[in-house]
Amino acid sequence: MDFATFLQQLINGLSLGSLYALIAIGYTMVYGILRLINFAHGDLLMVAAYTGLFGIGMFSLPWTVACALALGLTGVMGVLLERGAYRPLRRAPRISLLISAIAASFFLENLALVLLGGRPRAFPVPPLMAGAIKLDGLFIPRLSLWTPTITLVLLGVLFLIVYRTRVGIAMRAIARDLETTRLMGINVDRLIALTFLMGSVLAGAGGLLWAMRYPQVNPYLGIMPGLKAFIAAVLGGIGNLAGAVLGGLLLGVLEILIVAFFPAWAGYRDALAFGLLIVVLLFRPTGLLGEVLMEEKL
Amino acid sequence: MPHSRRLQHALLNLGVVALLALVLYWAEQRAGEYQIRLLNNAAIFITLAISYNLINGICGQLHLGPNAFVTIGAYTSALLTLSPAEKELTFLITPLIWPLNQISTSFLVSLVAGGLMAVIFAFLTGFPVLRVRGDYLAIVTLGFGEVVRVLANNLQWLTNGPLGLKGLYPYTNLWWSWGVAVLALVVITGLVNSAYGRAMQAIREDETAARAIGIDPFRHLMLAFLVSAFFFGVAGGLLAHLITTISPTLFTFFLTFNLLIIIVIGGLGSNTGAVLGAVLFTYGSEVLRAVEEPITFWGLKLPGIPGMRMVIFSLALLLVIIFARQGLLGRREFSWDGCQRYLKRLTRGLV
C-alpha cells in the first residue's frame, strides 16, 4: 500500500472516528452522572436521521432547516426519555434502570418500525456534502472532511459549556457526588435533563452525519454505531470527555485501517470493537484516560 | 424439614410430573399441530427463562448474551445430527471440515454436546465477563452475542456462513422439550435452594458483605454462568430441531429481549415466576397476533399493523419495570407448604 492510499484511509478513519466520538460523548456524559449506559442513545441517531429525511425529502424544507429541526427534536426526545424511563427509577436497583433503558430502546425501534416501515430509505445528501475532491492523486469524499470539522466545532462548544460556565461546574459536581451537589442547592434533576439534552443534540448531529455517510435509513440504524460509540467511550475512559473523543478516533481509525490492510478480515469488522472492549476491560478497566470510577459504585 | 413431609413433597412432585406426562400424552394423541407447537414453544421458553433467571434474578447480574449460547448449542447439535450426505449437499461453497463431515450422532448425544459446547464457551468468556459488574457485564455479554453472530456468518467451513443449515430432522417433540424443561427446573431449583444458591443471593444483595463472610463471588457467578449456559445450549439444540432451519440471524438480541420480558414480568428472582412468565408470553404473543392481522370490528374494517406486538411488549416491559418492579410474583416461590397453608386458610373460612 502506498503512502497516498494510506493517507486516504487515515482520513476516512478519522472521519468515522469523529462520528464515534460525537456519539460517545453522549454516553460518557450520562454515564458520568447517572452511572448508566443509556441504551436508547443509539436510537436517537435513528430519530435524527428520519427527521432529516422527512424534512428534506417529504416536506422539501431547505436542508439547513431540516437538520436544525432534527437536532431540536432529538434533543427533546432525549429529555423525554430521561423523564419517562430513567427519572422514575432514580432510587431503584441498578438492574431495573438498565432493563428500563433496554426496554426504552426497543420501544423506540419498534415504534419507528410500525410507524415508518422497515424498508430502508435513501437519505438525500445535501449537495454541499456530496461528491468528492481530488487532490494530488488523493480521492477524498467531501463528507470525510465535513464530519471532523463539524465534530470539532460541536465539541468546542461543549467543552466551553462544561469547563467554562457555571452550569458546567454544576454538571461536573454532579458527576463527582450527586447527593452533595443536591445539598448545595443545585437543581440536580434539571441539570440531568440538560445533560441529556446536550448529549442528545450531539447524537442528533451524529445521526445526520451517519445517514449521509451510509445513506440507508432504517429503524435499526442506531444500534451498531451506538454500541461501538459506547465501546469507544469505555476505551477512552468512561466519564471523561476527552477520553471519549480519543476512544472514538482510535476505534474509527483502527476499524478502517484493519479492513484496508487485511481485506480478508472485512467480515470480522463488527467483532473488532467487542474484542477491543474485552481486552480493555481485562487489562485497563479504567480506559486510556479514565480515573478510578468503576470501583466507587460497584 | 421432617422426613415424612419431605417424602410427601416428593410424592406430590412425582404426581405433578405424572399429570404433566398424561397431559402431554393426551396432547400428542388429540391436539392439533398448532397446539403442539405452542406447547413445545412454552417448554423451551420455560427452560430458557429459568436458566436466565439464575443469572439475572438470583445472582443479580444483567447478562445480555443468552442468544449467543443458544446459537452455539443450535449449531453444535445441528452439525451432529445431520448425516454426512446431507452435510455434503448443504456445504456447497466451502466444505465442512473433518471430522465433522464424517460423524453423525443421535439426538440425545447432540443435545448434550450442544450444552457442553455452550459451557466451554461460557467458561472461556467467564474470565473477562465475571471480572466486571453492572453495565459493563451487560455490554460485554451483549458484545459476545454480536461476536458469535459475526463468527457464524464468516466461518463458512463450520457454519455454512449466512446460508445456515437446512433440512434438520424435526426430532424435537413434546417429550424432548418438556423433559428438558422439567430437568432444568429440578436442577436449577435444587441449585438455588442449596448453599451455593444462598451464596449467589448473598452476592446479589451485597457483594462486599458476601465477600466478607468468605463467599468467593467469581466462583459462584461462574457456576451460575456455566449451569445456565448448559441449558441455553440444550435449548438451542431443541429449537434447531424444532424449526429445522438455522442461520446466523435466527437467534439475535431479540431472543434475549423476549427472555428479559418473561423474567421481569414473572418476577426477577423467582423460578415460579419465570415458568409463569414463559407460559404467559407464549400464549400472550399468540393472542396479540390479532393486532397484526386485519380485523372486522362491528362492521368496521381495521387493517392489521405488522410489528405492533413488539411495541406492546416493549411498552409493557417499560411500564412493569417502572411501576411494578416486582412483576407478578416478586421473589415468591411456589411451595407445597404454602399451598397447604393456603388451603387451610380457605377451608377455615368455609367452616
Side-chain angles (χ1 to χ4, degrees):
Chain A
M1 183 183 288
D2 55 11
F3 186 68
T5 329
F6 174 74
L7 207 63
Q8 192 171 320
Q9 298 292 356
L10 191 67
I11 292 174
N12 196 4
L14 284 175
S15 158
L16 179 64
S18 54
L19 256 181
Y20 285 149
L22 209 51
I23 307 164
I25 288 279
Y27 278 108
T28 225
M29 282 170 71
V30 169
Y31 197 94
I33 287 183
L34 292 182
R35 301 288 184 277
L36 163 80
I37 300 182
N38 179 6
F39 269 98
H41 191 67
D43 298 307
L44 295 177
L45 270 72
M46 178 266 295
V47 172
Y50 269 112
T51 317
L53 187 147
F54 284 121
I56 303 172
M58 205 179 250
F59 301 106
S60 36
L61 297 171
W63 66 269
T64 38
V65 178
C67 286
L69 201 67
L71 293 190
L73 194 72
T74 315
V76 172
M77 279 295 282
V79 175
L80 285 180
L81 187 73
E82 196 271 326
R83 259 291 155 79
Y86 302 148
R87 190 176 295 184
L89 291 170
R90 205 143 288 163
R91 286 175 200 289
R94 311 216 5 86
I95 195 166
S96 306
L97 202 58
L98 268 172
I99 293 174
S100 174
I102 296 170
S105 159
F106 252 71
F107 177 65
L108 284 179
E109 283 157 22
N110 286 293
L111 196 66
L113 187 70
V114 164
L115 294 179
L116 310 167
R119 192 173 48 86
R121 295 167 195 253
F123 191 86
V125 181
L128 191 64
M129 315 234 175
I133 47 172
K134 284 202 183 72
L135 193 94
D136 226 16
L138 286 177
F139 182 81
I140 304 165
R142 281 220 173 82
L143 193 63
S144 288
L145 297 176
W146 274 109
T147 310
T149 317
I150 294 172
T151 306
L152 215 61
V153 172
L154 288 174
L155 293 187
V157 174
L158 178 82
F159 275 69
L160 273 183
I161 296 176
V162 173
Y163 290 103
R164 287 287 179 273
T165 64
R166 288 175 63 84
V167 171
I169 294 174
M171 275 179 175
R172 283 180 288 142
I174 296 177
R176 256 308 137 77
D177 190 333
L178 193 138
E179 287 309 321
T180 311
T181 315
R182 202 193 291 275
L183 292 176
M184 298 291 163
I186 288 166
N187 189 338
V188 170
D189 279 335
R190 192 182 295 165
L191 270 165
I192 290 177
L194 186 69
T195 308
F196 268 83
L197 179 75
M198 283 161 54
S200 307
V201 169
L202 292 185
L208 289 171
L209 289 168
W210 188 273
M212 292 178 200
R213 190 184 170 92
Y214 304 103
Q216 291 246 313
V217 180
N218 68 61
Y220 302 114
L221 161 109
I223 300 178
M224 254 305 151
L227 284 174
K228 285 183 181 168
F230 176 75
I231 292 172
V234 175
L235 184 64
I238 198 130
N240 184 318
L241 292 183
V245 178
L246 182 69
L249 290 176
L250 213 59
L251 184 63
V253 170
L254 266 178
E255 267 194 356
I256 296 283
L257 286 189
I258 281 190
V259 176
F261 278 107
F262 309 98
W265 292 4
Y268 297 98
R269 184 178 151 175
D270 284 346
L272 170 82
F274 294 103
L276 210 59
L277 175 69
I278 288 176
V279 173
V280 171
L281 289 182
L282 273 179
F283 297 107
R284 196 176 161 81
T286 52
L288 295 173
L289 303 181
E291 308 133 52
V292 186
L293 259 178
M294 289 185 39
E295 273 142 47
E296 297 169 3
K297 286 264 173 171
L298 287 187
Chain B
M1 195 165 17
H3 188 67
S4 62
R5 182 170 294 171
R6 191 171 291 177
L7 188 73
Q8 201 181 12
H9 289 179
L11 284 176
L12 281 167
N13 285 337
L14 272 180
V16 170
V17 172
L19 193 69
L20 177 69
L22 214 63
V23 170
L24 291 183
Y25 178 76
W26 177 82
E28 203 177 37
Q29 303 296 321
R30 293 292 166 84
E33 206 174 309
Y34 175 69
Q35 290 299 332
I36 287 181
R37 199 189 164 80
L38 285 189
L39 279 172
N40 275 324
N41 283 349
I44 295 173
F45 270 130
I46 288 175
T47 310
L48 288 170
I50 45 178
S51 315
Y52 196 38
N53 184 49
L54 180 62
I55 303 272
N56 285 27
I58 307 294
C59 299
Q61 311 295 328
L62 187 63
H63 174 15
L64 294 179
N67 55 319
F69 298 111
V70 172
T71 309
I72 291 169
Y75 268 99
T76 309
S77 154
L79 282 171
L80 288 176
T81 58
L82 283 171
S83 72
E86 285 167 321
K87 284 175 194 166
E88 216 176 306
L89 276 176
T90 311
F91 284 76
L92 287 173
I93 303 169
T94 319
L96 184 62
I97 46 148
W98 188 87
L100 277 172
N101 60 354
Q102 297 295 335
I103 47 177
S104 174
T105 65
S106 69
F107 187 44
L108 178 65
V109 172
S110 85
L111 282 185
V112 175
L116 290 180
M117 191 56 84
V119 167
I120 292 171
F121 271 82
F123 183 72
L124 293 178
T125 49
F127 287 95
V129 167
L130 299 177
R131 275 178 55 125
V132 292
R133 295 287 182 272
D135 305 46
Y136 284 87
L137 193 143
I139 202 98
V140 174
T141 47
L142 179 68
F144 183 54
E146 286 300 313
V147 172
V148 166
R149 185 180 57 79
V150 168
L151 290 180
N153 249 324
N154 285 288
L155 301 179
Q156 296 231 340
W157 43 268
L158 186 65
T159 63
N160 203 25
L163 293 174
L165 304 173
K166 291 188 183 65
L168 304 175
Y169 186 82
Y171 284 112
T172 305
N173 57 22
L174 290 175
W175 302 107
W176 280 112
S177 59
W178 282 94
V180 170
V182 170
L183 180 73
L185 200 56
V186 169
V187 169
I188 290 176
T189 359
L191 182 65
V192 171
N193 292 330
S194 71
Y196 292 108
R198 302 205 183 287
M200 288 169 194
Q201 290 168 57
I203 295 167
R204 172 186 68 196
E205 295 305 327
D206 189 334
E207 189 168 337
T208 316
R211 220 186 263 271
I213 56 166
I215 293 169
D216 180 355
F218 181 81
R219 281 177 54 190
H220 286 90
L221 292 182
M222 183 63 108
L223 180 67
F225 201 53
L226 297 183
V227 171
S228 69
F230 179 79
F231 285 109
F232 290 146
V234 173
L238 287 173
L239 278 169
H241 292 88
L242 184 70
I243 309 171
T244 70
T245 302
I246 56 173
S247 67
T249 49
L250 185 59
F251 306 118
T252 56
F253 185 62
F254 191 69
L255 175 71
T256 301
F257 186 71
N258 287 345
L259 293 180
L260 202 56
I261 295 177
I262 291 174
I263 61 172
V264 169
I265 287 182
L268 262 183
S270 161
N271 283 327
T272 318
V275 174
L276 195 65
V279 174
L280 274 179
F281 182 83
T282 311
Y283 287 91
S285 56
E286 288 307 310
V287 172
L288 280 178
R289 207 176 271 279
V291 298
E292 302 198 349
E293 281 157 5
I295 38 168
T296 320
F297 193 67
W298 284 342
L300 205 68
K301 272 215 177 79
L302 296 171
I305 311 164
M308 197 62 202
R309 270 194 300 175
M310 262 340 276
V311 177
I312 296 175
F313 275 131
S314 39
L315 194 60
L317 180 60
L318 203 55
L319 293 178
V320 167
I321 205 76
I322 291 175
F323 296 111
R325 210 181 304 146
Q326 66 285 6
L328 285 173
L329 291 186
R331 284 179 186 162
R332 274 165 297 178
E333 294 284 1
F334 171 85
S335 72
W336 292 117
D337 286 330
C339 261
Q340 215 169 8
R341 275 197 300 273
Y342 184 72
L343 273 178
K344 248 184 209 147
R345 229 177 11 205
L346 212 65
T347 43
R348 198 185 304 143
L350 282 175
V351 174

